[in-house]
Amino acid sequence: MVKLYLRAGHGGRYVGTAGNGLIEKQETLRHVLALAEQLSHYDVELKLARTTDVTVELADSIREANNWGANLYYSSHINGFNDSSAYGYDSHIYTSPDAESIRVQNILHPKQAAVWVKHGSRDRGKKRSNFAELRETKMASILIENGFITNYNDAQLLKKASFIQELTAATVEGLVELYGLKKKEASEVPAKMYIVQPGDNLYRIARKHNMTLSDLTNLNPHITDPSYIEVGDIIFLTPPSAFEVDYAVMNRQLILCQKKIEEYEVLGKEINLLSQRFLS
Ligand SMILES: [Zn+2]
């Protein structure tokens, strides 16, 4: 499974930059926690450098990501400058980046930048920088500067929960594209199954489990004809995942194959008998 290491810049005694009533270490955490929440619906392994306002040394995060064998090191920051007119979003990869980091920036950057531009800020471009987080990480790595905390308009955007959600959704969209992430099935608990026994019919199975026939047909899209079930068929009593439905369909095909083999065996024996009588 793809492993993503997410680092909310600064934290604890490292405040980062500040302005317009915002502190960088809190805003980076807000974005990373939203990102982790949205990504929790996908089949992906996550490790967060921090989930609260604690001090995590940069070198420790880099070591942790390297030892873990992350596929991507994603670092979230907010820019700040003594001239409050500076504004906009940019992303950074290492000065002599590996091909994978270039791919990551090429896909993530335009998606995130588009959200900033849409809300009246600007795209400052894809940058290359000699930051420790980019230089010393062994995997693809990217560092995001989500606007200028020292700029009034950028800061107003960062204060809006809806903007953070939109920015995060764009980031997730990029990660899904980068790694082909799949959404987790709605039901992660295995569905309850009943195996069809000789003499069963769907109505009897429904009654046995205090359900109606339509309850059962709704839960079992693989049973195309409710009046026809095979011994050994799987009947779901609770909602199945797509994978479980696939499994039930395959199971039925196997049962039908087995039936055909048995039919052919009987036919073969009959032909044998006939031919023996014929030849003798
Ligand atoms: Zn920072």
Side-chain angles (χ1 to χ4, degrees):
M1 207 183 289
V2 174
K3 293 174 164 185
L4 304 180
Y5 189 90
L6 309 178
R7 187 173 202 273
H10 315 280
R13 63 193 167 92
Y14 302 113
V15 175
T17 182
N20 293 296
L22 298 176
I23 302 170
E24 183 183 0
K25 66 172 183 175
Q26 284 172 348
E27 298 316 305
T28 59
L29 185 60
R30 195 197 303 275
H31 172 55
V32 162
L33 290 180
L35 192 53
E37 197 284 318
Q38 289 192 24
L39 284 171
S40 71
H41 303 291
Y42 291 85
D43 273 327
V44 62
E45 271 189 80
L46 298 177
K47 206 182 264 294
L48 275 61
R50 65 184 179 96
T51 55
T52 56
D53 183 19
V54 291
T55 301
V56 178
E57 297 296 335
L58 193 55
D60 290 338
S61 283
I62 294 166
R63 194 177 308 117
E64 186 175 50
N66 285 343
N67 290 343
W68 188 45
N71 294 87
L72 175 67
Y73 181 100
Y74 178 95
S75 185
S76 155
H77 286 260
I78 317 277
N79 237 326
F81 197 52
N82 52 22
D83 179 354
S84 67
S85 68
Y87 75 108
Y89 154 94
D90 52 49
S91 69
H92 301 251
I93 57 173
Y94 187 45
T95 40
S96 51
D98 55 294
E100 182 63 4
S101 294
I102 294 171
R103 189 177 84 93
V104 167
Q105 191 179 38
N106 282 342
I107 290 177
L108 273 190
H109 181 102
K111 292 198 191 296
Q112 294 183 324
V115 178
W116 286 96
V117 170
K118 179 187 160 194
H119 289 273
S121 189
R122 71 180 178 123
D123 178 2
R124 292 165 49 87
K126 290 187 267 187
K127 314 227 168 187
R128 295 188 176 186
S129 305
N130 186 17
F131 297 145
E133 289 181 272
L134 304 175
R135 186 180 60 242
E136 283 158 34
T137 41
K138 289 179 190 162
M139 69 294 302
S141 53
I142 190 164
L143 186 150
I144 307 298
E145 293 280 6
N146 270 319
F148 277 72
I149 213 163
T150 42
N151 175 261
Y152 179 79
N153 290 325
D154 277 4
Q156 297 317 302
L157 290 176
L158 292 170
K159 285 176 186 176
K160 276 194 211 157
S162 60
F163 177 80
I164 298 300
Q165 285 304 314
E166 198 177 331
L167 181 67
T168 304
T171 310
V172 170
E173 206 181 287
L175 293 169
V176 165
E177 185 179 328
L178 275 165
Y179 301 107
L181 303 182
K182 296 273 176 286
K183 267 226 156 119
K184 283 183 189 166
E185 299 298 341
S187 72
E188 291 184 73
V189 265
K192 275 199 187 129
M193 295 178 192
Y194 175 81
I195 307 296
V196 175
Q197 304 297 314
D200 271 341
N201 61 51
L202 216 51
Y203 178 68
R204 190 180 297 173
I205 296 168
R207 234 186 12 191
K208 207 189 273 185
H209 296 93
N210 293 318
M211 298 166 89
T212 65
L213 190 58
S214 70
D215 284 339
L216 267 194
T217 49
N218 288 337
L219 286 171
N220 292 278
H222 62 294
I223 305 293
T224 44
D225 179 359
S227 65
Y228 174 73
I229 50 174
E230 292 286 345
V231 172
D233 256 343
I234 292 169
I235 305 296
F236 295 111
L237 305 173
T238 58
S241 66
F243 169 77
E244 286 169 325
V245 172
D246 285 348
Y247 178 71
V249 169
M250 201 180 67
N251 177 67
R252 166 169 273 203
Q253 282 167 353
L254 283 172
I255 293 168
L256 295 178
C257 263
Q258 192 60 48
K259 265 182 105 172
K260 273 273 176 281
I261 290 168
E262 281 163 12
E263 280 173 21
Y264 287 137
E265 273 173 3
V266 170
L267 195 64
K269 273 178 196 158
E270 280 173 3
I271 290 170
N272 239 331
L273 279 174
L274 265 176
S275 63
Q276 275 170 17
R277 222 179 285 170
F278 227 91
L279 293 171
S280 63

